[in-house]
PDB file of all heavy atoms in Angstrom:
ATOM      1  N   PRO A 413      11.235   8.927   3.650  1.00 97.00           N
ATOM      2  CA  PRO A 413      10.713   9.936   4.637  1.00 97.00           C
ATOM      3  C   PRO A 413      11.800  10.863   5.100  1.00 97.00           C
ATOM      4  O   PRO A 413      13.061  10.629   4.914  1.00 97.00           O
ATOM      5  CB  PRO A 413      10.329   9.020   5.904  1.00 97.00           C
ATOM      6  CG  PRO A 413      11.015   7.774   5.578  1.00 97.00           C
ATOM      7  CD  PRO A 413      11.326   7.611   4.173  1.00 97.00           C
ATOM      8  N   GLN A 414      11.433  11.959   5.617  1.00 96.00           N
ATOM      9  CA  GLN A 414      12.378  13.014   6.208  1.00 96.00           C
ATOM     10  C   GLN A 414      13.004  12.388   7.379  1.00 96.00           C
ATOM     11  O   GLN A 414      12.408  11.773   8.175  1.00 96.00           O
ATOM     12  CB  GLN A 414      11.649  14.253   6.461  1.00 96.00           C
ATOM     13  CG  GLN A 414      11.169  15.112   5.404  1.00 96.00           C
ATOM     14  CD  GLN A 414      10.541  16.389   5.727  1.00 96.00           C
ATOM     15  OE1 GLN A 414       9.963  16.913   4.888  1.00 96.00           O
ATOM     16  NE2 GLN A 414      10.641  16.794   6.934  1.00 96.00           N
ATOM     17  N   ARG A 415      14.378  12.533   7.471  1.00 97.00           N
ATOM     18  CA  ARG A 415      15.164  11.783   8.444  1.00 97.00           C
ATOM     19  C   ARG A 415      14.722  12.116   9.813  1.00 97.00           C
ATOM     20  O   ARG A 415      14.530  11.195  10.742  1.00 97.00           O
ATOM     21  CB  ARG A 415      16.562  12.101   8.236  1.00 97.00           C
ATOM     22  CG  ARG A 415      17.407  11.340   9.273  1.00 97.00           C
ATOM     23  CD  ARG A 415      18.910  11.307   8.884  1.00 97.00           C
ATOM     24  NE  ARG A 415      19.638  10.760  10.012  1.00 97.00           N
ATOM     25  CZ  ARG A 415      20.838  10.214   9.925  1.00 97.00           C
ATOM     26  NH1 ARG A 415      21.469  10.254   8.752  1.00 97.00           N
ATOM     27  NH2 ARG A 415      21.525   9.808  10.917  1.00 97.00           N
ATOM     28  N   ASP A 416      14.402  13.403  10.118  1.00 97.00           N
ATOM     29  CA  ASP A 416      14.038  13.710  11.484  1.00 97.00           C
ATOM     30  C   ASP A 416      12.726  13.082  11.924  1.00 97.00           C
ATOM     31  O   ASP A 416      12.483  12.627  13.010  1.00 97.00           O
ATOM     32  CB  ASP A 416      14.052  15.208  11.715  1.00 97.00           C
ATOM     33  CG  ASP A 416      13.229  16.002  10.752  1.00 97.00           C
ATOM     34  OD1 ASP A 416      12.760  15.423   9.836  1.00 97.00           O
ATOM     35  OD2 ASP A 416      13.027  17.191  11.022  1.00 97.00           O
ATOM     36  N   TYR A 417      11.806  12.931  10.919  1.00 97.00           N
ATOM     37  CA  TYR A 417      10.537  12.392  11.242  1.00 97.00           C
ATOM     38  C   TYR A 417      10.654  10.878  11.463  1.00 97.00           C
ATOM     39  O   TYR A 417      10.134  10.189  12.286  1.00 97.00           O
ATOM     40  CB  TYR A 417       9.464  12.667  10.193  1.00 97.00           C
ATOM     41  CG  TYR A 417       8.116  12.286  10.714  1.00 97.00           C
ATOM     42  CD1 TYR A 417       7.553  12.789  11.855  1.00 97.00           C
ATOM     43  CD2 TYR A 417       7.345  11.293   9.981  1.00 97.00           C
ATOM     44  CE1 TYR A 417       6.274  12.388  12.291  1.00 97.00           C
ATOM     45  CE2 TYR A 417       6.133  10.905  10.434  1.00 97.00           C
ATOM     46  CZ  TYR A 417       5.581  11.399  11.628  1.00 97.00           C
ATOM     47  OH  TYR A 417       4.335  11.060  12.030  1.00 97.00           O
ATOM     48  N   PHE A 418      11.530  10.241  10.561  1.00 98.00           N
ATOM     49  CA  PHE A 418      11.790   8.773  10.738  1.00 98.00           C
ATOM     50  C   PHE A 418      12.330   8.503  12.150  1.00 98.00           C
ATOM     51  O   PHE A 418      12.020   7.644  12.799  1.00 98.00           O
ATOM     52  CB  PHE A 418      12.711   8.301   9.620  1.00 98.00           C
ATOM     53  CG  PHE A 418      13.041   6.837   9.720  1.00 98.00           C
ATOM     54  CD1 PHE A 418      12.185   5.856   9.204  1.00 98.00           C
ATOM     55  CD2 PHE A 418      14.255   6.468  10.486  1.00 98.00           C
ATOM     56  CE1 PHE A 418      12.418   4.519   9.429  1.00 98.00           C
ATOM     57  CE2 PHE A 418      14.484   5.095  10.632  1.00 98.00           C
ATOM     58  CZ  PHE A 418      13.609   4.096  10.095  1.00 98.00           C
ATOM     59  N   GLU A 419      13.275   9.387  12.441  1.00 98.00           N
ATOM     60  CA  GLU A 419      13.908   9.179  13.837  1.00 98.00           C
ATOM     61  C   GLU A 419      12.881   9.319  14.946  1.00 98.00           C
ATOM     62  O   GLU A 419      13.018   8.777  16.012  1.00 98.00           O
ATOM     63  CB  GLU A 419      15.142  10.250  14.048  1.00 98.00           C
ATOM     64  CG  GLU A 419      16.249   9.898  13.236  1.00 98.00           C
ATOM     65  CD  GLU A 419      17.301  10.837  13.264  1.00 98.00           C
ATOM     66  OE1 GLU A 419      17.149  11.998  13.771  1.00 98.00           O
ATOM     67  OE2 GLU A 419      18.472  10.643  12.672  1.00 98.00           O
ATOM     68  N   GLU A 420      11.943  10.235  14.679  1.00 97.00           N
ATOM     69  CA  GLU A 420      10.906  10.344  15.718  1.00 97.00           C
ATOM     70  C   GLU A 420       9.941   9.126  15.796  1.00 97.00           C
ATOM     71  O   GLU A 420       9.666   8.702  16.922  1.00 97.00           O
ATOM     72  CB  GLU A 420      10.090  11.615  15.447  1.00 97.00           C
ATOM     73  CG  GLU A 420       9.022  11.997  16.326  1.00 97.00           C
ATOM     74  CD  GLU A 420       8.212  13.212  15.896  1.00 97.00           C
ATOM     75  OE1 GLU A 420       8.849  14.104  15.236  1.00 97.00           O
ATOM     76  OE2 GLU A 420       7.031  13.287  16.203  1.00 97.00           O
ATOM     77  N   ILE A 421       9.577   8.569  14.738  1.00 97.00           N
ATOM     78  CA  ILE A 421       8.589   7.472  14.760  1.00 97.00           C
ATOM     79  C   ILE A 421       9.276   6.175  15.135  1.00 97.00           C
ATOM     80  O   ILE A 421       8.654   5.281  15.767  1.00 97.00           O
ATOM     81  CB  ILE A 421       7.785   7.365  13.475  1.00 97.00           C
ATOM     82  CG1 ILE A 421       8.751   7.173  12.220  1.00 97.00           C
ATOM     83  CG2 ILE A 421       6.760   8.436  13.275  1.00 97.00           C
ATOM     84  CD1 ILE A 421       7.963   6.512  11.061  1.00 97.00           C
ATOM     85  N   LEU A 422      10.477   5.978  14.694  1.00 98.00           N
ATOM     86  CA  LEU A 422      11.233   4.715  15.135  1.00 98.00           C
ATOM     87  C   LEU A 422      12.564   5.113  15.669  1.00 98.00           C
ATOM     88  O   LEU A 422      13.572   4.826  15.083  1.00 98.00           O
ATOM     89  CB  LEU A 422      11.441   3.841  13.806  1.00 98.00           C
ATOM     90  CG  LEU A 422      10.132   3.151  13.293  1.00 98.00           C
ATOM     91  CD1 LEU A 422      10.339   2.533  11.952  1.00 98.00           C
ATOM     92  CD2 LEU A 422       9.733   2.051  14.316  1.00 98.00           C
ATOM     93  N   PRO A 423      12.505   5.587  16.954  1.00 97.00           N
ATOM     94  CA  PRO A 423      13.778   6.106  17.523  1.00 97.00           C
ATOM     95  C   PRO A 423      14.714   5.087  17.878  1.00 97.00           C
ATOM     96  O   PRO A 423      15.936   5.338  17.928  1.00 97.00           O
ATOM     97  CB  PRO A 423      13.292   6.739  18.876  1.00 97.00           C
ATOM     98  CG  PRO A 423      11.915   6.219  19.075  1.00 97.00           C
ATOM     99  CD  PRO A 423      11.295   5.825  17.742  1.00 97.00           C
ATOM    100  N   SER A 424      14.309   3.778  17.984  1.00 96.00           N
ATOM    101  CA  SER A 424      15.319   2.691  18.259  1.00 96.00           C
ATOM    102  C   SER A 424      15.979   2.169  17.069  1.00 96.00           C
ATOM    103  O   SER A 424      16.819   1.243  17.172  1.00 96.00           O
ATOM    104  CB  SER A 424      14.541   1.592  19.071  1.00 96.00           C
ATOM    105  OG  SER A 424      13.462   1.379  18.393  1.00 96.00           O
ATOM    106  N   VAL A 425      15.567   2.547  15.859  1.00 98.00           N
ATOM    107  CA  VAL A 425      16.328   2.064  14.662  1.00 98.00           C
ATOM    108  C   VAL A 425      17.431   3.035  14.324  1.00 98.00           C
ATOM    109  O   VAL A 425      17.247   4.215  14.413  1.00 98.00           O
ATOM    110  CB  VAL A 425      15.259   2.005  13.539  1.00 98.00           C
ATOM    111  CG1 VAL A 425      15.981   1.750  12.193  1.00 98.00           C
ATOM    112  CG2 VAL A 425      14.232   0.969  13.786  1.00 98.00           C
ATOM    113  N   ASP A 426      18.551   2.476  13.988  1.00 97.00           N
ATOM    114  CA  ASP A 426      19.752   3.260  13.740  1.00 97.00           C
ATOM    115  C   ASP A 426      19.542   4.015  12.280  1.00 97.00           C
ATOM    116  O   ASP A 426      19.629   3.499  11.342  1.00 97.00           O
ATOM    117  CB  ASP A 426      20.936   2.377  13.604  1.00 97.00           C
ATOM    118  CG  ASP A 426      22.277   3.083  13.264  1.00 97.00           C
ATOM    119  OD1 ASP A 426      22.263   4.329  12.940  1.00 97.00           O
ATOM    120  OD2 ASP A 426      23.299   2.481  13.349  1.00 97.00           O
TER     121      ASP A 426
END
Side-chain angles (χ1 to χ4, degrees):
Q414 286 181 197
R415 181 164 170 162
D416 53 354
Y417 191 60
F418 179 82
E419 288 173 349
E420 187 183 322
I421 54 163
L422 286 170
S424 49
V425 173
D426 180 352

